[in-house]
Amino acid sequence: MTEYIAPVRDLRFALYEIGDFEALCALPAFAEATPELVEQVLDEAGRLAAREIAPLNRSGDEQGVHLENGVVHSAEGFADAYRRFVEGGWSGLDLDPEYGGQGLPRALATATGEMWNAANMSFALCPMLTHGAAEVIDRHGSAEQKALYAEKLTSGEWAGTMCMTEPQAGSDVGAVRTRALPEDGHYRLSGTKIFITYGDHDMAENIVHLVLARTPDAPEGARGLSLFVVPKFLPDADGRPGPRNDIRTVSIEHKLGVRASSTCTLAFGDGEGAIGTLIGEENRGIQAMFTMMNSARLAVGLQGVAIAERAYQQALAFARERLQGRRLADRAPASIIDHPDVRRMLMTMKAHAEAMRALALRVAIDIDLAAHHGDADTRARLQRRVDLLIPVVKAYCSDVGFEVASLGVQIHGGMGYIEETGAAQHLRDARIAMIYEGTNGIQALDLAGRKLLGDKGEAARAYLADVEALEARLAEAGIEEIRAPLARARETLAAASDWLLETWPDAPAEAAAGASDYLRLFGLVATGAMMGEAALAATRRLAEGSADDAFYRAKLATARFHAATILPSATALLDPIRAGIDELDALD
């Protein structure tokens, strides 16, 4: 496995020159996010990711975790790396300063999150879940819960989890059976949760579980779920970990990838019941949990970006070194990077990684603006766009991240199928992102059935208008080779959106059959638009005359490649979207 090089320059380009990060940092809420501070944060994160976290990726995959006498032990080096991560303040980069966070933009934390995941996805899952738990308690917790848990979770001193899935429920959250019985100001929980990421480990001194459960008189389905804070160790009067709660780690999963993260089956209440406290109101748990889920969906999409970048770096290094065959032009001995098909795969990997990075950071910037912009109408407009694009980022980026990792294996040839090279690990690690935080099919149904139909296409039409305005700017700059395919893709997306809006109300199964293709189409247009922005930014810099001309020429070339070879596949998706359900139901 090659060494990881943090793409700090690429991240700065995506933030400042494609995104609207400079305008974001001009808002009063982010007055401290000066260019000098942002530069320092990105550089330091890159060093930590490359020097401390990435070297554990391969060894962690080989060692995995193990359960012994009811305790999960992490892979060698993980606990020390996590301690340094916490000491550096990385866990609370964008969290509330009232609880020890630094209050910096979500977009900056998203940029550092790419580096953590590219360096070591197994490691990055722990702070990802902890960050989400801190957000939930900050937004929905009581004063007492905040006093006990907010500061510890913000710092990362205590870790957090999300406990939703049960053996009989899977993605059907409404089928959750875990019970919560009220008792003297708290609740006693009993039930089993499966697939709990970092459900137990030895990296933090306490683990704070956020658990969905039902109270005795709760209605059926998701509307009867409540959310509870259930710590592994009950805090004492001074807020330190006290007696062990009634939570038992039944088993750990033996997984395809991310083997150094502990995925646990947890039994709550084998004895008298696990003690938990209610977050918010009874039967309102799913609303509070969505705070964590939406944050996690952006983070999972980012994992696709991160693995794509890591797989590309490894494939590029191998292609430069691997001698095989002769160049077609002059028959001279060649490295495989000289062969057209290998160059096609490398350019595809690079273009996808850059396009997805730009999209994920653009959405993160919009999240910040929707929360902090001074104009209420602007906040509402941006929030609608965020809601529309979150399922696209989660599903499209995780789908394509896996495809890019697969190309990385292909470039390695037979060596890619051998674990020692590390290419196979990227493929294995990437696969889970398409499944968790709502499978990508669920994300497609959310996009088409909720986000598109929910406002009768208003947010989608506003987004398409923004893309059309971008096309006008591309035309003005003379970048026709990107404008034309983007316009065709946008027109295809508009036609698909209209068909879904017309079809879904009377024939939802007909429309739902095309939902995954619709999400793929939306992702192609969204990333194509970001590459259009990248081309405009690079063209401006080249016209100004930059000392970094080679960097900007590469950005422009990559954007052109995306428009020429990736974006055109969008137009082929309209017929599958409109194909309906007859062929799916043709066999009994």
Side-chain angles (χ1 to χ4, degrees):
M1 182 175 287
T2 57
E3 293 183 359
Y4 171 61
I5 302 171
V8 173
R9 180 67 183 88
D10 294 287
L11 288 163
R12 290 204 307 268
F13 177 74
L15 285 169
Y16 281 106
E17 299 183 69
I18 304 178
D20 203 14
F21 191 67
E22 191 170 2
L24 172 65
C25 292
L27 297 178
F30 302 121
E32 294 185 8
T34 63
E36 295 77 17
L37 178 62
V38 171
E39 183 92 6
Q40 183 181 10
V41 167
L42 292 175
D43 286 344
E44 289 298 323
R47 278 191 282 272
L48 179 64
R51 297 177 184 177
E52 302 284 347
I53 300 174
L56 301 174
N57 195 35
R58 178 67 181 155
S59 60
D61 182 71
E62 292 174 333
Q63 294 175 20
V65 298
H66 66 279
L67 177 63
E68 184 178 355
N69 297 324
V71 177
V72 174
H73 298 276
S74 303
E76 185 177 347
F78 270 59
D80 287 340
Y82 185 74
R83 176 180 50 78
R84 288 190 289 273
F85 184 89
V86 169
E87 290 172 351
W90 296 107
S91 196
L93 197 66
D94 61 327
L95 294 175
D96 194 338
E98 182 179 351
Y99 305 112
Q102 298 179 51
L104 292 169
R106 167 71 62 92
L108 182 57
T110 302
T112 62
E114 181 194 323
M115 291 187 269
W116 313 139
N117 280 284
N120 191 328
M121 186 171 155
S122 286
F123 177 91
L125 281 164
C126 183
M128 183 187 95
L129 272 297
T130 301
H131 182 281
E135 280 191 297
V136 171
I137 288 177
D138 184 18
R139 294 190 191 183
H140 304 285
S142 66
E144 183 180 3
Q145 288 168 337
K146 291 177 182 179
L148 283 173
Y149 302 112
E151 188 172 327
K152 300 286 191 182
L153 288 169
T154 296
S155 69
E157 183 180 345
W158 291 1
T161 76
M162 174 172 26
C163 297
M164 298 175 60
T165 308
E166 296 182 6
Q168 79 292 340
S171 296
D172 184 6
V173 177
V176 161
R177 295 176 185 166
T178 296
R179 310 301 295 178
L181 301 178
E183 179 188 285
D184 297 331
H186 57 256
Y187 291 75
R188 293 278 185 176
L189 279 78
S190 59
T192 299
K193 298 289 184 179
I194 63 171
F195 301 152
I196 307 307
T197 302
Y198 274 96
D200 191 31
H201 56 90
D202 56 5
M203 290 161 52
E205 66 177 9
N206 203 359
I207 302 172
V208 180
H209 302 289
L210 300 188
V211 184
L212 282 177
R214 294 185 184 283
T215 52
D217 299 323
E220 293 298 317
R223 62 193 182 94
L225 294 174
S226 302
L227 185 62
F228 299 88
V229 181
V230 189
K232 177 180 177 180
F233 296 102
L234 297 167
D236 63 18
D238 297 319
R240 293 189 297 264
R244 179 76 181 255
N245 209 346
D246 188 4
I247 306 169
R248 179 170 61 90
T249 303
V250 176
S251 63
I252 53 175
E253 305 302 334
H254 304 284
K255 307 189 298 291
L256 176 70
V258 288
R259 292 172 174 171
S261 73
S262 52
T263 304
C264 301
T265 296
L266 299 179
F268 293 84
D270 278 353
E272 296 180 352
I275 294 175
T277 56
L278 178 69
I279 294 181
E281 303 173 11
E282 287 191 9
N283 306 329
R284 299 281 296 172
I286 200 68
Q287 289 84 350
M289 186 63 96
F290 262 110
T291 296
M292 192 170 188
M293 290 166 66
N294 281 329
S295 176
R297 284 170 179 172
L298 173 62
V300 170
L302 191 71
Q303 289 173 341
V305 181
I307 295 294
E309 171 65 30
R310 186 73 188 271
Y312 168 67
Q313 288 190 18
Q314 174 140 351
L316 178 61
F318 182 84
R320 285 171 170 162
E321 296 167 359
R322 175 66 169 164
L323 297 174
Q324 186 168 299
R326 294 180 177 274
R327 292 198 298 259
L328 292 174
D330 57 11
R331 307 304 298 166
S335 298
I336 63 171
I337 199 170
D338 294 319
H339 299 317
D341 190 57
V342 174
R343 294 190 75 85
R344 174 192 63 82
M345 289 188 283
L346 285 169
M347 284 298 292
T348 300
M349 297 173 79
K350 179 177 174 62
H352 274 312
E354 293 188 8
M356 293 190 298
R357 173 184 295 121
L359 176 62
L361 290 176
R362 175 71 262 183
V363 170
I365 290 170
D366 284 347
I367 290 171
D368 284 324
L369 289 170
H372 298 286
H373 198 281
D375 178 67
D377 289 340
T378 300
R379 291 197 302 272
R381 176 179 60 82
L382 290 172
Q383 188 59 55
R384 287 193 296 271
R385 187 161 74 184
V386 167
D387 292 340
L388 181 72
L389 290 178
I390 281 289
V392 178
V393 171
K394 191 280 175 184
Y396 180 82
C397 293
S398 59
D399 277 345
V400 174
F402 180 76
E403 293 166 16
V404 170
S406 182
L407 285 174
V409 173
Q410 188 72 14
I411 287 170
H412 282 74
M415 295 300 294
Y417 205 67
I418 295 171
E419 289 288 353
E420 283 77 7
T421 64
Q425 183 187 340
H426 303 320
L427 184 73
R428 291 187 287 100
D429 286 351
R431 189 59 184 85
I432 186 58
M434 303 158 74
I435 297 172
Y436 58 22
E437 302 311 328
T439 65
N440 286 356
I442 290 173
Q443 302 303 317
L445 290 174
D446 179 48
L447 175 66
R450 286 199 185 99
K451 304 301 169 55
L452 179 65
L453 266 73
D455 63 2
K456 297 181 171 58
E458 181 181 341
R461 281 189 286 270
Y463 180 76
L464 290 168
D466 290 341
V467 176
E468 192 169 9
L470 168 62
E471 293 163 24
R473 289 188 283 129
L474 288 165
E476 185 179 351
I479 310 176
E480 182 66 16
E481 67 274 21
I482 295 178
R483 186 211 66 81
L486 181 58
R488 289 191 291 270
R490 186 226 349 125
E491 290 163 0
T492 304
L493 180 57
S497 300
D498 289 342
W499 183 83
L500 286 169
L501 286 165
E502 293 169 5
T503 305
W504 197 292
D506 297 322
E510 287 279 319
S516 289
D517 285 321
Y518 179 70
L519 189 145
R520 179 78 178 199
L521 170 58
F522 215 122
L524 284 164
V525 172
T527 51
M530 297 315 301
M531 292 305 264
E533 296 283 9
L536 285 170
T539 300
R540 284 194 301 270
R541 292 296 190 184
L542 290 169
E544 293 167 358
S546 166
D548 209 359
D549 275 5
F551 176 84
Y552 292 112
R553 283 195 299 270
K555 292 300 176 194
L556 187 56
T558 306
R560 286 171 173 159
F561 177 87
H562 188 280
T565 68
I566 295 173
L567 189 53
S569 64
T571 57
L573 291 169
L574 184 58
D575 284 346
I577 290 167
R578 298 191 298 199
I581 201 169
D582 288 349
E583 302 305 326
L584 301 183
D585 285 346
L587 300 181
D588 61 22

